[in-house]
Amino acid sequence: MAVIGAGPGGIAAGVKLTKAGVADFVILERADEVGGSWHENHYPGLEVDIPSIAYQYSFARNSRWSRLFAPGAEVKRYHIEVARRFGLYPHIRFNTTVVSEEWDEANHRWNLHLAGGGVLTARFVVSAVGAFISPRQDPGIPGLAEYRGKIQRPSEWDDDYDLTGKRVGIIGTGASSVQITPSIAARVDSLSVFQRTPVWCIPKPNPKIPDAVQALLRTPGLQAAVHGAVLVAVDGVLRTLSNAPLGLVRPTMRTLDAAAILGYRGLLRLMVEDPETRAALTPNYGPIAKRPTANTGYLLSFNRDNVELVTSPIECFTAQGIRTADGRERVFDMIVLATGYHVFSDPETYTPGMVVGRDGLDLGKYFAEHGLQMYESVALPSLPNRWTLVGPYSWSGSGWHAFVEMTADHAVRAIGEARRRGATFVAVRQDAHDAFHRRIYEHGAAIRWYLAELNAHVPTYYRNSQGDSTYIRPTGFFQARRGHRRFPFSDYEFAGPPLISAARQGS
């Protein structure tokens, strides 16, 4: 069998397979090391945006995090250590990119077409490509090829480039920009931050974790208890939203958004000196309509004489820099394209021909025509023997590790049952898939209203181009975990080798 990707999801799948006694698997990784985004990204200021103890596997808890919010290099080392500890490296093929997947009905297997022309066959496939599939190489602004200065991307940062005394522009105000901006502001001659939409950014104290606290974190069960308490609170919010009547949700969310915006204005008055800059940094949308960020230095950066916030829309790149709609051209030695990723919840991420299943079902075309949907976020009836660890409606309010663990549990449990039965074909039943999708869609009504109506004016990957909120699982973490670990095997169809199945049908 094959696992695609050696990021957090691929590592979880590899460990779960190993624990289940499955030794015949390969992990295909396009990069030259494990870790996924934590290997590819190493830009200035990179760190986790949730507490470190919530950003780890339950089977590999780490008591040695150096800070409350661990730096990126430390998170990368953690993934490497976990992969080594559980013996995954012999299973990994690095520098191997899967460009397409094609189901072979006659042989009950997948043909994985690799960059360079090779084909690898696998009985079962687990897609662990993650939530942020690939960086957006084209920011959608004319003239990028004309620019003659240095281009930096968060996922391809050139650490050897000396920023000292340089004139720098950064496009975007998302999570990476919020970290990069304060990290380089004191080193550069000037820094222009180009903002399309103001971001919610709250202060984030990040103290070192003392040795005594690290020792306390080694207490058996303590980290799990603390993390579990947080999950209970988040789970309660999601379940309340998913079950509350819209007649109550609408006025409540309007009131909460207005109160939050008012409170944020007060925070900006404390942190940003210039009134015009404060006004430009004030969101006109709710705090959970777009991914909120946390960084103490981001807002304070705009008090520096060498940092400016630019809100005039970008017209085009020029040979020397960027021209905005007000006619002004700014000259830059370096431009940072912090313009985001192709995300798992966008139908455009799944291009036609990428995954072709049973009876010619093309995943890209299917999602475009029918919307994003999968049974328990992991399986489609026409994609036999295949599970996706980060699929539609999969994020349930936890850190990434917690939910890729439970989706990996789902895949490994189904594979284990197939092996027990001697089955070479496993596919979720259409009726089970449809019932799950109806239920999850109904529960998502409040979130959909919040993102697609109340906050429809704000661009956000929480709402995709079809107006749906397929990023979020509205029923919460614990129901999702039960669904993945206890789904009835009757929701799946199991069949033996093709020739044996055909002989039985003819007898």
Side-chain angles (χ1 to χ4, degrees), residues 16 26 32 42 48 90 101 155 160 214 274 277 283 302 343-344 359 365 387 397 459 497:
K16 298 288 185 177
V26 64
D32 58 1
H42 45 87
V48 294
E101 307 166 45
S155 58
D160 294 329
Q214 291 186 358
D274 178 60
T277 303
F302 295 102
V343 184
F344 77 95
D359 299 323
K365 294 178 181 177
W387 296 266

Side-chain angles (χ1 to χ4, degrees), residues 211-383:
D211 293 343
V213 175
Q214 291 186 358
L216 182 63
L217 289 175
R218 289 195 287 274
T219 304
L222 179 61
Q223 290 195 58
V226 173
H227 187 207
V230 174
L231 287 176
V232 168
V234 175
D235 187 74
V237 172
L238 280 174
R239 286 190 295 106
T240 299
L241 270 177
S242 70
N243 292 306
L246 279 177
L248 177 62
V249 167
R250 289 188 180 105
T252 301
M253 296 307 292
R254 283 195 183 98
T255 301
L256 290 175
D257 275 6
I261 292 170
L262 183 63
Y264 193 69
R265 285 184 180 136
L267 175 67
L268 288 171
R269 280 195 295 272
L270 293 174
M271 300 190 70
V272 181
E273 297 168 0
D274 178 60
E276 290 186 7
T277 303
R278 285 202 303 266
L281 287 168
T282 304
N284 64 349
Y285 61 92
I288 57 172
K290 188 179 176 74
R291 180 181 176 179
T293 62
N295 190 291
T296 303
Y298 178 70
L299 295 177
L300 294 175
S301 296
F302 295 102
N303 296 327
R304 299 182 60 89
D305 292 336
N306 67 328
V307 177
E308 68 165 337
L309 181 68
V310 183
T311 58
S312 179
I314 296 175
E315 182 179 279
C316 64
F317 292 96
T318 66
Q320 299 299 316
I322 291 175
R323 180 182 297 118
T324 47
D326 57 8
R328 180 176 175 183
E329 180 178 358
R330 291 170 174 82
V331 176
F332 298 117
D333 302 300
M334 183 183 90
I335 295 175
V336 181
L337 300 181
T339 49
Y341 281 75
H342 297 285
V343 184
F344 77 95
S345 52
D346 287 331
E348 295 80 11
T349 296
Y350 306 88
T351 56
M354 180 186 293
V355 180
V356 179
R358 202 177 191 190
D359 299 323
L361 179 133
D362 188 306
L363 185 62
K365 294 178 181 177
Y366 179 84
F367 280 167
E369 295 171 5
H370 301 281
L372 274 69
Q373 52 184 288
M374 283 185 171
Y375 170 76
E376 292 288 354
S377 306
V378 298
L380 268 178
S382 294
L383 300 182

Side-chain angles (χ1 to χ4, degrees), residues 26 45 67 87 93 156 197 263 266 376 380 383 401 465 476 487 500:
V26 64
R67 291 186 175 274
R93 295 189 191 180
E156 301 171 354
T197 306
E376 292 288 354
L380 268 178
L383 300 182
H401 297 75
S465 61
F487 63 88
I500 295 176

Side-chain angles (χ1 to χ4, degrees), residues 80-164:
I80 292 173
E81 289 169 3
V82 172
R84 285 177 177 161
R85 187 194 317 174
F86 289 92
L88 298 187
Y89 274 89
H91 294 275
I92 304 173
R93 295 189 191 180
F94 291 112
N95 302 304
T96 303
T97 301
V98 178
V99 294
S100 65
E101 307 166 45
E102 182 183 15
W103 172 248
D104 178 355
E105 178 71 19
N107 295 294
H108 286 181
R109 67 187 186 188
W110 284 91
N111 295 323
L112 306 180
H113 297 267
L114 310 178
V119 178
L120 183 146
T121 61
R123 176 73 68 202
F124 303 111
V125 170
V126 175
S127 177
V129 297
F132 303 101
I133 311 297
S134 58
R136 295 185 185 275
Q137 295 296 316
D138 182 358
I141 300 168
L144 178 59
E146 305 299 320
Y147 176 61
R148 295 293 176 259
K150 177 71 172 179
I151 290 288
Q152 291 270 39
R153 292 180 172 87
S155 58
E156 301 171 354
W157 196 271
D158 181 359
D159 297 300
D160 294 329
Y161 183 80
D162 187 4
L163 299 171
T164 307

Side-chain angles (χ1 to χ4, degrees), residues 59-71:
F59 54 78
R61 297 196 187 277
N62 179 21
S63 62
R64 303 183 307 278
W65 295 113
S66 65
R67 291 186 175 274
L68 180 60
F69 300 92

